[in-house]
Amino acid sequence: DYAALPQIVIGVCGGDGIGPTITHEAERVLRFLLKDEVEKGKVTFKEIDGLTIENRAAHMKAIPDDVLAELKACHVILKGPTTTPRAGDEWPNIESANVAMRKELDLFANVRPVKVPEEGIDWTFFRENTEGAYTLGSCGFETEDGISVDFTITTTDGTQRIAELAYDFARKNHKTRVSIVTKANIIKATDGKFLKLCQAVGEKYPEITTDDWYIDIMTAKLVDKKRRTDFQVFVLPNLYGDIITDEAAEFQGGVGTAGSGNIGKRYAMFEAIHGSAPRMVKEGRAQYADPCSMLRASVMLLSHIGYQAQADKLTAALDKCMFTEKALTVTGRDTGCTCTEFGDYVMRTIETL
Amino acid sequence: DYAALPQIVIGVCGGDGIGPTITHEAERVLRFLLKDEVEKGKVTFKEIDGLTIENRAAHMKAIPDDVLAELKACHVILKGPTTTPRAGDEWPNIESANVAMRKELDLFANVRPVKVPEEGIDWTFFRENTEGAYTLGSCGFETEDGISVDFTITTTDGTQRIAELAYDFARKNHKTRVSIVTKANIIKATDGKFLKLCQAVGEKYPEITTDDWYIDIMTAKLVDKKRRTDFQVFVLPNLYGDIITDEAAEFQGGVGTAGSGNIGKRYAMFEAIHGSAPRMVKEGRAQYADPCSMLRASVMLLSHIGYQAQADKLTAALDKCMFTEKALTVTGRDTGCTCTEFGDYVMRTIETL
Ligand SMILES: CC(C)[C@H](C(=O)O)[C@@H](O)C(=O)O
Ligand SMILES: CC(C)[C@H](C(=O)O)[C@@H](O)C(=O)O
């Protein structure tokens, strides 16, 4: 309960590429919305600089120890996109920073809302965030005769807590339906267990209808304009949640428009769902980065720590200020508006609400 | 080389639910198109009845031994949808018949074309069909303290042969681009290997551009009307191929409109990508089942065994006869047309070409 805390510490990690630009902008808007709380000392912001790929590579660690200690001294974290090293590029083979943070801070739920009001879409995805195909990413191996093996792990506790969070959300928000998505017909031990346990949790919520789908057919259903508006709340294992939320975000205008909340019992971290766009930085266009996803993540952060009125204001302003359409009209320049100009525009809009 | 064979044996398995209805219709159209070849004895059809869920359950085997022997006596197989038993239903926990057939006949490539000419979509998916998350579906286990484990396996040979098939197809069909889709940033041993080996195969095709994507962002790209027409040929591990081809088929009108080819060095099997629709049978509406997907699968079969002219004719007729729009106008009845009436309509249309 954040209301009871003497002070709420919001950690801010810029990350890589355009990350610092858009995260800084989101912090500016948050400070504007929380002005009184910051003045009272109820809310404070703490910059955490060490989550860059250079620092992580220097320490050969997804999250260097001192950075992890700083993160653990916060209550909630706003995080910019971070570079994930991959085979063949200049960085050593360290784990993705957001995946590591999800595990280290036990952020077991990845919550992603997708809304397209004019099409009747109002979905909330509850993606299990610490297990599944993501658990043992560095334990896979290759035998001498060319057989490579990876593992998928699903635990009873891990499944129960994500299912309970999804159904609690559904109950609290008067949703009537929860859809469980797996590939339990093929991936029997782990997905079979996930399906069975989610169904068992669902039985404790008699007012809510439970249905279940295979992930292949669900990616098709989301495209089907006649059927997709029936869905409300989804609960899924890690990998399927990863896959289907990118597809879903596209209907809303792309991954650039979507934020994601990584929620645990002790900590919570809010981030953009897109990458760090190194090309924009290389081409000297970082100042034109679109901060919408970080601002959507900020809405989730505000709501999570109990500032619902501020969250609603920011949502209303963002709905009016959609970056892509408004970027030109704000400045009249044909290069569009900068990230800072867009932030100013959002704050001006908030003042008119 | 089918031209060199004294006789080509086409096995026909009706399967479950609406399977026998739509498969029988596809066979009727195939016989019509191959009339001369059947008369000459160059092509013969062989009915294989034992692939029903009742018979499979009685033998407690995904494919009973005598059915497997019959399948192995054919050159190519046309297969209707089969029931996949799942937790909690009336059938014992036996493996899916199509997954078992892919393994038993070593049908290592699942080839799925998706075309929407009016939108500029012309995709061909090459899904690895015998490994990945599907390999050891029955070897997963659960420990006493509630930890469930499943395995993913990727082999060097298995990856190379699907990559070569995809690139050979690209070369033969004058495609300029092959896109490799994995989640190699997380699933490092197996997907990392898949990506690396496909790239290495790609280097032997200098006229073709190779790019690679993560499966999450690719499901979004397929929705993006500005970007998706750039894609041509995809090569992907089993599970991602399963997921993304259902999404892709939806743009073409749904899984009911798509066929799939399961190709090996010795055998090939062609099937619908939808299920057996037991509800239609229960409600007494099986005779109204839409045979389009089986007819699209028949196009692939004809082309595979070297009857390209007949394949092109059937494609042209199907493009004119789209089931959903034409079903009513064929008969004037408001129940639509039956599967047989639709088959007649397709054959009449072929005669006018
Ligand atoms: C960057 C990547 C490791 C990450 C994931 O796979 O979870 C991203 O796609 C996401 O969804 O947050
Ligand atoms: C029915 C099911 C086992 C099968 C699969 O997962 O491969 C189907 O979805 C397909 O794509 O052919």
Side-chain angles (χ1 to χ4, degrees):
Chain A
D1 183 9
Y2 294 92
L5 289 175
Q7 186 172 54
I8 304 173
V9 183
I10 303 178
V12 180
C13 299
D16 300 305
I18 60 168
T21 308
I22 60 179
T23 309
H24 174 255
E25 203 50 43
E27 181 183 339
R28 216 162 59 92
V29 173
L30 280 173
R31 281 183 185 274
F32 173 80
L33 282 160
L34 295 173
K35 200 160 172 285
D36 296 345
E37 305 303 307
V38 174
E39 274 169 13
K40 275 193 284 177
K42 170 73 191 180
V43 169
T44 185
F45 289 85
K46 202 175 141 217
E47 314 299 320
I48 298 173
D49 292 326
L51 208 70
T52 59
I53 183 68
E54 292 82 6
N55 191 45
R56 290 154 57 217
H59 287 82
M60 280 301 286
K61 248 191 143 161
I63 307 179
D65 294 342
D66 55 336
V67 178
L68 186 59
E70 286 184 272
L71 291 168
K72 288 190 169 172
C74 303
H75 295 99
V76 290
I77 295 147
L78 185 68
K79 180 189 147 298
T82 40
T83 298
T84 301
R86 43 168 287 169
D89 72 15
E90 60 190 306
W91 304 111
N93 185 18
I94 51 176
E95 198 183 16
S96 125
N98 49 356
V99 173
M101 206 183 294
R102 292 167 189 169
K103 289 183 202 163
E104 293 287 356
L105 304 183
D106 201 23
L107 307 172
F108 67 88
N110 194 313
V111 184
R112 299 187 177 183
V114 168
K115 280 190 196 165
V116 191
E118 62 279 20
E119 306 211 354
I121 292 176
D122 184 358
W123 298 326
T124 310
F125 295 88
F126 286 82
R127 162 185 174 188
E128 198 293 316
N129 211 25
T130 52
E131 313 194 332
Y134 284 62
T135 334
L136 295 178
S138 43
C139 295
F141 62 88
E142 177 166 19
T143 68
E144 269 176 28
D145 46 349
I147 301 174
S148 292
V149 184
D150 277 310
F151 303 95
T152 298
I153 312 271
T154 295
T155 71
T156 303
D157 294 349
T159 305
Q160 262 156 0
R161 61 185 184 172
I162 185 74
E164 280 160 10
L165 202 74
Y167 279 96
D168 281 344
F169 169 89
R171 174 169 282 174
K172 216 181 119 195
N173 292 277
H174 310 290
K175 305 286 182 185
T176 54
R177 188 170 173 192
V178 171
S179 303
I180 308 165
V181 184
T182 67
K183 186 79 191 176
N185 50 343
I186 296 296
I187 302 177
K188 298 196 173 174
T190 52
D191 280 358
K193 178 201 202 93
F194 192 93
L195 172 56
K196 221 171 51 194
L197 290 178
C198 287
Q199 285 172 327
V201 169
E203 278 169 22
K204 290 185 259 162
Y205 299 74
E207 80 277 24
I208 296 168
T209 305
T210 295
D211 51 31
D212 72 273
W213 302 82
Y214 297 134
I215 176 67
D216 48 339
I217 197 70
M218 184 49 89
T219 65
K221 287 271 166 277
L222 290 196
V223 175
D224 182 348
K225 296 201 171 170
K226 273 180 250 141
R227 303 289 306 278
R228 66 184 178 188
T229 51
D230 294 345
F231 298 109
Q232 301 176 12
V233 176
F234 299 83
V235 55
L236 350 71
N238 211 337
L239 181 61
Y240 311 136
D242 177 53
I243 294 173
I244 212 168
T245 52
D246 274 24
E247 180 190 358
E250 192 66 28
F251 301 121
Q252 178 183 275
V255 290
T257 61
S260 120
N262 297 265
I263 316 285
K265 297 251 185 270
R266 169 73 183 81
Y267 299 101
M269 180 265 282
F270 301 86
E271 59 180 339
I273 84 167
H274 60 77
S276 59
R279 198 181 302 166
M280 279 194 89
V281 180
K282 225 175 275 164
E283 296 171 356
R285 296 186 292 114
Q287 76 267 34
Y288 290 101
D290 173 357
C292 275
S293 60
M294 289 307 293
L295 291 167
R296 294 282 178 194
S298 303
V299 168
M300 299 181 79
L301 185 150
L302 285 168
S303 169
H304 185 78
I305 61 176
Y307 294 107
Q308 193 55 46
Q310 286 86 338
D312 292 342
K313 269 192 189 170
L314 182 50
T315 300
L318 285 172
D319 287 348
K320 285 199 175 177
C321 297
M322 290 296 289
F323 187 82
T324 37
E325 287 141 50
K326 295 291 165 75
L328 287 173
T329 49
V330 177
T331 64
R333 262 187 275 119
D334 67 1
T335 50
C337 74
T338 64
C339 188
T340 312
E341 285 165 344
F342 186 75
D344 287 338
Y345 176 48
V346 168
M347 289 186 279
R348 280 202 309 275
T349 306
I350 291 172
E351 277 178 334
T352 66
L353 291 174
Chain B
D1 183 10
Y2 294 93
L5 290 175
Q7 186 172 55
I8 304 174
V9 183
I10 303 178
V12 180
C13 299
D16 300 305
I18 60 169
T21 308
I22 60 179
T23 309
H24 174 256
E25 203 50 42
E27 181 183 339
R28 214 162 61 93
V29 173
L30 279 173
R31 282 182 183 275
F32 173 79
L33 283 160
L34 295 172
K35 196 161 174 286
D36 296 346
E37 306 302 308
V38 174
E39 275 170 13
K40 275 193 284 178
K42 170 72 191 178
V43 169
T44 185
F45 289 85
K46 204 175 141 216
E47 314 299 319
I48 299 173
D49 292 327
L51 208 69
T52 59
I53 184 68
E54 294 80 7
N55 192 43
R56 292 153 58 217
H59 287 81
M60 278 302 283
K61 248 190 145 161
I63 307 179
D65 294 341
D66 54 336
V67 178
L68 186 59
E70 287 185 89
L71 291 169
K72 288 190 168 171
C74 304
H75 296 100
V76 290
I77 296 148
L78 185 69
K79 180 191 149 295
T82 40
T83 297
T84 302
R86 43 169 288 166
D89 71 16
E90 61 190 303
W91 304 110
N93 185 18
I94 50 176
E95 197 183 17
S96 123
N98 49 354
V99 172
M101 207 184 294
R102 292 167 189 168
K103 288 183 204 165
E104 293 288 357
L105 304 183
D106 200 24
L107 308 172
F108 67 88
N110 194 312
V111 184
R112 299 189 176 181
V114 169
K115 280 190 195 164
V116 191
E118 61 280 17
E119 306 212 356
I121 292 176
D122 184 357
W123 299 325
T124 310
F125 294 88
F126 286 81
R127 162 184 174 189
E128 199 293 315
N129 211 24
T130 52
E131 313 195 330
Y134 284 62
T135 334
L136 295 177
S138 42
C139 295
F141 61 88
E142 176 165 21
T143 68
E144 268 177 26
D145 45 350
I147 302 176
S148 292
V149 183
D150 276 309
F151 303 95
T152 298
I153 312 269
T154 295
T155 72
T156 303
D157 294 350
T159 305
Q160 262 156 0
R161 62 186 184 173
I162 185 74
E164 280 159 10
L165 202 76
Y167 279 95
D168 281 345
F169 170 89
R171 172 169 282 174
K172 216 180 119 195
N173 292 278
H174 309 289
K175 305 286 182 186
T176 54
R177 189 170 172 191
V178 171
S179 303
I180 308 164
V181 184
T182 67
K183 186 79 190 176
N185 50 343
I186 296 297
I187 303 175
K188 296 196 175 176
T190 52
D191 280 359
K193 179 201 202 95
F194 192 92
L195 173 56
K196 221 171 52 196
L197 290 178
C198 288
Q199 285 172 327
V201 169
E203 279 170 20
K204 290 185 255 160
Y205 298 75
E207 80 277 22
I208 296 168
T209 306
T210 294
D211 50 29
D212 71 273
W213 302 82
Y214 296 134
I215 176 67
D216 48 338
I217 197 69
M218 184 49 88
T219 63
K221 286 274 165 277
L222 290 195
V223 175
D224 181 349
K225 297 203 172 171
K226 273 181 250 141
R227 302 289 306 278
R228 65 185 179 188
T229 52
D230 294 346
F231 298 110
Q232 302 175 13
V233 176
F234 299 83
V235 55
L236 349 71
N238 210 337
L239 181 61
Y240 311 137
D242 176 53
I243 293 173
I244 212 168
T245 53
D246 274 23
E247 179 190 357
E250 192 66 29
F251 300 121
Q252 178 183 276
V255 290
T257 62
S260 121
N262 297 266
I263 316 286
K265 297 252 185 269
R266 168 78 184 78
Y267 300 101
M269 179 265 279
F270 301 85
E271 59 180 340
I273 84 167
H274 59 78
S276 59
R279 199 181 306 164
M280 278 193 89
V281 180
K282 224 173 281 166
E283 295 171 359
R285 295 185 294 114
Q287 75 269 33
Y288 289 101
D290 172 357
C292 274
S293 59
M294 288 308 293
L295 291 167
R296 294 281 179 195
S298 303
V299 169
M300 299 181 78
L301 184 150
L302 286 168
S303 169
H304 184 79
I305 60 176
Y307 294 107
Q308 193 56 47
Q310 287 85 339
D312 292 342
K313 267 192 190 169
L314 182 50
T315 301
L318 285 173
D319 287 348
K320 285 198 177 177
C321 298
M322 289 298 290
F323 187 82
T324 36
E325 288 140 50
K326 296 290 165 73
L328 287 174
T329 48
V330 177
T331 63
R333 261 187 274 117
D334 67 1
T335 49
C337 74
T338 63
C339 188
T340 312
E341 285 164 344
F342 187 75
D344 287 338
Y345 176 46
V346 168
M347 290 185 279
R348 279 201 311 275
T349 306
I350 290 171
E351 277 177 335
T352 68
L353 289 175

